[in-house]
Amino acid sequence: MRAIILMFDSLNRHMLPPYGGAEIETPNFTRLAERSVTFENFSIGSMPCMPARREMHTGRYNFLHRSWGPLEPFDDSMPELLSRRGIHTHLVSDHPHYWEDGGATYHTRYTTWEGFRGQEGDAWKAVVGSRASFAAQPGPVVRAQDRVNRTYMDSEATHVQTRTVDAGIDFLDTNAEADEWLLQLELFDPHEPFFAPQSYRDLHGLPPTEDRFDWPTYGRVVEDEDQVDEARREYASLVSFCDHSLGRVLDAMDRHDLWRDTLLIVNTDHGFLLGERGWWAKSVQPWFNELAHLPFFLWDPRHGMAGQRSDAIAQTIDLAPTLLGFFGLDIPEDMQGTDLGSVIAAERDPRDSALWGIHGGHVNIGDGRFVYMRAPESRENAPLEEFTLMPTHMRQRFSVSELAAWEPAPPFSFTKGLRTMRTNSTSAWMNAWAHGTLLFDLQDDPKQESPLIDDAVERRMVELLIQAMHANDAPASQFERLGLPVDGEILDAHLRCRVDAERAASAAEPLPALSALRHADELSRPLPEIVGNAALRDVLETEAPDLLHTEVLTAPRGASIIDLARRAHIPAAVVRRIDAALDDALDDALDENLNGAPR
């Protein structure tokens, strides 16, 4: 028995031809669909990147207890369990987050592993002084480092995706006659930045240039339509490259006749918004279907089903039980997922609903038709707590101030009797409250364009959500944050769609492009500069008083009105009003320096 996982990052389901996409030609994804079962209702769970990978190891949700972080001492790890039973597990990946503080306990769970460098500003190549030389270009240090890295990947052969797939193919060629192994070949692409070799950019009409718009900023779109189109074509170029890499894996399976006894999973962690709904990227907006509804393909030689489709409600938490079941291991009791091989063989649903979300954001539940996105009850989004024995974030340790007041928490049902560290947390740039609680009927509104107000349906979805949260042993603080009862009757006061509708509609309005604003320069200045000018401060007092008394106190240093609007802290209508009001204010302040600097 052998198994292969080929995982991509940020692969959009709706753009792939097997799911009706027409924007990109992907002959190898079409070829894959002919050789496997294509899942129609596969969705995300814990978001984003590393929380999803924690689910792949543990088979259970984690976002209600923890933000981005490593595997915990009490976590079951699927590859480690396989290794202990004599099954050789091998990870080949260029995913840079494995080698950072928030991911450093994942790759060591495999029997052997290979890591490849160069993706997304990975601190890889050292060119002393290079970061300073890029300082005049936009973006933080990670973008400057990425520009250095690209100079070492000037061909398809030297591109990190190629080098990673080369290593995966080498594993297959070396071990094709061996038995009892798992290969996890994991590609960071098509995650941003959308850096593809020129031959794939040629397919999408992109000329050779170093001046590329291939790394959109997370948040609302403020670029012109031609820039949005350029980013979409850069993404499409990278997907074309990924399709080629998929073809190389399928060729290796053909060459070694691996289809007869080798399980194949092709999956991704989440999608990526490319201007849809006026948004870029993920995490800072609600988890709409473009992000949450995933492509998933499974070839399982136990039943040999190919060219078929499954309507089962499946999730990332099902991967660990599927692999354990395939190799004949028992599934640990703390795993919440199901062996998908047995699901499609029996033509049954593993669950009647799916839970998903990001720590501190909306908590979502879907039943196959309705999607319910529960927002925090208050702007403060509190209480929000972390429960961990591994206090690290993505690229740094917890700060001294974060740990100064930690308290021991009672064991959860899945912590193997261990108490965890409980610390207070914030949702930082996320602002789920601004978007309100949302309900969508995917049958009548598959594009999620018209939020539904239906008390009966919302009450049923609240019941499903509470059940799912209890099944995950969610902390009481999550119920309080969401304004939900831990137990007892669901009252009319617990229903939020109607109450939040006006705020949700305001948050859904796209921002105007910067080119359409008369005073984009002023709106892009750091808030302290604007607040320090009496005439401009008066505009904010009139048009956005909350901005001065809430966001300005908590916004990251250097944030501007546009920055806050891109993260939905300021509605589009308010931005337009401020822009119009600045006409008179700037006339009044014509001779006044803005925070001591000439305009």
Side-chain angles (χ1 to χ4, degrees), residues 175-468:
N175 297 288
E177 300 304 318
D179 198 11
E180 301 293 287
W181 51 254
L182 163 68
L183 168 66
Q184 184 170 325
L185 174 54
E186 185 176 334
L187 303 178
F188 191 60
D189 293 330
H191 191 289
E192 81 285 350
F194 311 135
F195 175 53
Q198 184 58 42
S199 59
Y200 299 99
R201 299 179 76 243
D202 290 341
L203 298 174
H204 300 277
L206 291 164
T209 177
E210 292 185 6
D211 183 22
R212 304 179 181 183
F213 182 55
D214 61 9
W215 198 344
T217 299
Y218 281 40
R220 292 193 181 282
V221 174
V222 294
E223 292 78 10
D224 294 328
E225 289 185 8
D226 58 343
Q227 286 182 286
V228 174
D229 177 67
E230 180 183 352
R232 292 184 69 88
R233 286 188 288 148
E234 295 283 12
Y235 176 87
S237 302
L238 197 50
V239 172
S240 294
F241 188 17
C242 291
D243 183 73
H244 172 71
S245 292
L246 167 63
R248 295 182 64 195
V249 174
L250 299 181
D251 289 346
M253 292 191 68
D254 290 343
R255 186 167 63 251
H256 296 296
D257 192 23
L258 294 179
W259 299 99
R260 56 189 167 81
D261 65 352
T262 304
L263 180 141
L264 174 65
I265 288 173
V266 177
N267 71 309
T268 190
D269 48 2
H270 48 68
F272 191 96
L273 285 167
L274 292 161
E276 299 94 343
R277 307 173 187 275
W279 283 100
W280 292 119
K282 61 183 185 292
S283 298
V284 297
Q285 64 280 97
W287 290 89
F288 295 114
N289 258 6
E290 292 91 342
L291 301 172
H293 199 185
L294 304 183
F296 186 83
F297 304 89
L298 172 65
W299 161 254
D300 189 335
R302 288 177 293 180
H303 52 67
M305 295 172 64
Q308 301 185 43
R309 306 182 86 86
S310 171
D311 291 324
I313 298 175
Q315 292 189 271
T316 305
I317 60 171
D318 296 321
L319 267 69
T322 299
L323 270 300
L324 293 175
F326 177 74
F327 283 105
L329 276 68
D330 293 335
I331 298 172
E333 62 179 18
D334 288 333
M335 290 192 176
Q336 298 175 292
T338 302
D339 179 353
L340 295 178
S342 63
V343 166
I344 56 179
E347 297 185 350
R348 61 180 177 85
D349 263 330
R351 58 187 56 84
D352 60 6
S353 62
L355 180 74
W356 69 88
I358 187 171
H359 189 72
H362 285 88
V363 180
N364 311 272
I365 193 85
D367 67 356
R369 174 176 177 178
F370 295 99
V371 170
Y372 184 60
M373 304 175 173
R374 183 75 181 200
E377 188 174 37
S378 70
R379 180 194 293 267
E380 291 72 28
N381 194 24
L384 182 60
E385 299 173 324
E386 298 257 13
F387 298 89
T388 183
L389 290 173
M390 302 289 290
T392 59
H393 297 300
M394 180 194 296
R395 296 189 176 103
Q396 65 276 334
R397 298 166 293 179
F398 275 36
S399 66
V400 172
S401 60
E402 285 179 286
L403 293 173
W406 77 271
E407 298 177 347
F412 289 100
S413 61
F414 54 87
T415 60
K416 313 290 194 291
L418 297 178
R419 305 178 76 180
T420 57
M421 303 170 66
R422 176 171 54 203
T423 65
N424 290 324
S425 183
T426 64
S427 52
W429 273 99
M430 285 187 301
N431 186 23
W433 175 86
H435 299 279
T437 293
L438 301 167
L439 175 65
F440 294 101
D441 182 349
L442 299 183
Q443 178 175 294
D444 296 337
D445 180 27
K447 294 184 178 180
Q448 296 175 308
E449 295 174 329
S450 302
L452 186 66
I453 298 176
D454 185 316
D455 290 353
V457 174
E458 182 177 5
R459 190 182 300 274
R460 185 177 65 80
M461 298 306 288
V462 168
E463 291 176 352
L464 283 176
L465 178 57
I466 290 174
Q467 291 171 12

Side-chain angles (χ1 to χ4, degrees), residues 111-127:
T111 312
T112 50
W113 56 272
E114 297 177 79
F116 293 85
R117 306 292 300 276
Q119 290 280 20
E120 196 200 27
D122 176 20
W124 177 36
K125 289 297 186 179
V127 179

